[in-house]
Amino acid sequence: MEAQADNATKTKRKFDKSTLIWVMLGVIIIAIAGINLWSAFDTKPEVLPEVVEVSVPDFSLTNQQGEPLGLSDMAGKIWIADFIFTNCPTICPAMTQEMARLQSEFVADPVYFVSFSVDPERDTSKVLSRYAKAYGADDRRWHFLTGDKAHIYQLAEQGFSLAAGHKGSEVLHSPRFVLVKADGNIHDYYDSRSKPAMLRLRRDVKTLLRK
């Protein structure tokens, strides 16, 4: 009798386990079917995050030819901006060389370049003209700008969100390039010291040219 009871208990346990497994599988199948059914009938449009574009604020400065140049002169143009100064002993020469390479690569395309001096008191139009010629700048497409220092610093920090200023006798500025679209909005930022970033800049320029 005890053996029969043990066998009955074991059989019941096997049955309970088997039943539990099938119940769990049934619940999972019903849940998956419910999700698929909800997805099929849910017609609400996907809510995408709002992209806030930043536009370059108006500015009025003087180029290397001694002529006034402002934001309106860049309207409808794709352009790349940076902030440099001619006496810079560190990153500026490399930045300007990289900009010169971009000018050569896009020589047949309507791409423009703007280099703002963060040391405008020393970087007069004549100084910038000599600097531009040393790097083979095309005056029609590459503008080196000087003017009021406070205006340029405000433009860098508040307009382009780039660092610019003085620390004692040291002039501070960002090594990044800024790609500006034809509508005057900033497309993106690129570290001029990074090869991957420069490759991405080139790809982005080509994409904007196709639009």
Side-chain angles (χ1 to χ4, degrees):
M1 293 293 291
E2 290 180 2
Q4 289 179 352
D6 288 341
N7 290 336
T9 300
K10 290 179 181 179
T11 302
K12 184 178 180 182
R13 286 176 181 172
K14 290 181 180 179
F15 178 77
D16 290 344
K17 289 181 181 179
S18 177
T19 303
L20 181 60
I21 292 171
W22 282 109
V23 169
M24 290 177 66
L25 286 174
V27 170
I28 293 171
I29 293 170
I30 292 172
I32 293 172
I35 291 171
N36 290 335
L37 186 64
W38 178 83
S39 299
F41 287 96
D42 180 29
T43 57
K44 292 181 181 179
E46 182 182 1
V47 179
L48 297 175
E50 183 180 356
V51 177
V52 179
E53 291 192 322
V54 178
S55 59
V56 177
D58 195 14
F59 60 85
S60 180
L61 297 167
T62 305
N63 67 13
Q64 70 267 36
Q65 297 170 302
E67 299 172 347
L69 190 137
L71 182 63
S72 59
D73 296 297
M74 305 307 297
K77 298 176 181 177
I78 297 169
W79 52 290
I80 301 168
D82 68 349
F83 288 80
I84 60 163
F85 64 105
T86 62
N87 285 314
C88 174
T90 54
I91 61 174
C92 293
M95 290 175 67
T96 307
Q97 287 172 0
E98 184 62 42
M99 196 76 91
R101 281 191 284 269
L102 290 168
Q103 178 189 239
S104 297
E105 290 176 28
F106 293 102
V107 66
D109 300 299
V111 180
Y112 298 80
F113 309 88
V114 181
S115 294
F116 298 88
S117 173
V118 291
D119 188 17
E121 294 170 341
R122 288 190 292 181
D123 285 342
T124 63
S125 292
K126 289 184 179 179
V127 171
L128 290 176
S129 179
R130 289 196 298 269
Y131 189 79
K133 288 177 181 177
Y135 286 93
D138 180 350
D139 290 339
R140 297 167 298 178
R141 299 175 57 221
W142 189 353
H143 307 287
F144 290 79
L145 301 183
T146 186
D148 179 71
K149 182 165 69 175
H151 178 47
I152 292 174
Y153 283 9
Q154 183 179 31
L155 180 65
E157 295 171 354
Q158 298 180 18
F160 287 93
S161 299
L162 296 178
H166 276 82
K167 185 179 181 181
S169 60
E170 185 181 4
V171 182
L172 305 175
H173 65 94
S174 172
R176 291 193 292 173
F177 288 173
V178 185
L179 177 58
V180 183
K181 298 185 292 185
D183 62 4
N185 288 319
I186 292 173
H187 180 75
D188 208 346
Y189 296 83
Y190 312 82
D191 190 334
S192 63
R193 301 164 299 182
S194 167
K195 288 185 178 180
M198 289 297 95
L199 288 173
R200 183 166 57 86
L201 171 58
R202 287 165 168 82
R203 288 197 300 267
D204 288 354
V205 169
K206 291 174 183 176
T207 298
L208 292 180
L209 286 169
R210 289 194 293 267
K211 289 186 177 179

